[in-house]
Amino acid sequence: MRKGCLIYDEGSGRMDIRFGLEEYYGGLHCGEGMEVILDGNWRRMRESITDIDNNDNAIYF
């Protein structure tokens, strides 16, 4: 398992994981699973688009 930061990549319009200054996962896709720390506990999650805003931007959770 690798630890990284979840970020939004404006160039691709997708969420991505940043592992270092120049090291990225390469873009997450809907339904892709991951584990995140919430309130000090690891939880299994998956990326989903919840809606599209008025500017045609995806809203993720």
Side-chain angles (χ1 to χ4, degrees):
M1 179 186 320
R2 297 179 67 189
K3 291 183 182 180
C5 275
L6 189 64
I7 62 163
Y8 179 71
D9 179 4
E10 292 182 16
S12 69
R14 295 188 177 277
M15 299 301 290
D16 201 348
I17 300 172
R18 184 176 182 175
F19 298 110
L21 291 176
E22 298 292 326
E23 190 176 2
Y24 296 87
Y25 178 75
L28 297 171
H29 298 272
C30 287
E32 200 161 350
M34 68 189 94
E35 292 183 351
V36 298
I37 290 182
L38 294 173
D39 299 325
N41 297 309
W42 284 100
R43 301 188 191 246
R44 292 182 186 182
M45 308 288 263
R46 67 184 187 122
E47 183 184 10
S48 296
I49 295 177
T50 61
D51 203 354
I52 305 294
D53 70 11
N54 292 337
N55 297 320
D56 292 330
N57 296 313
I59 300 170
Y60 295 91
F61 75 90

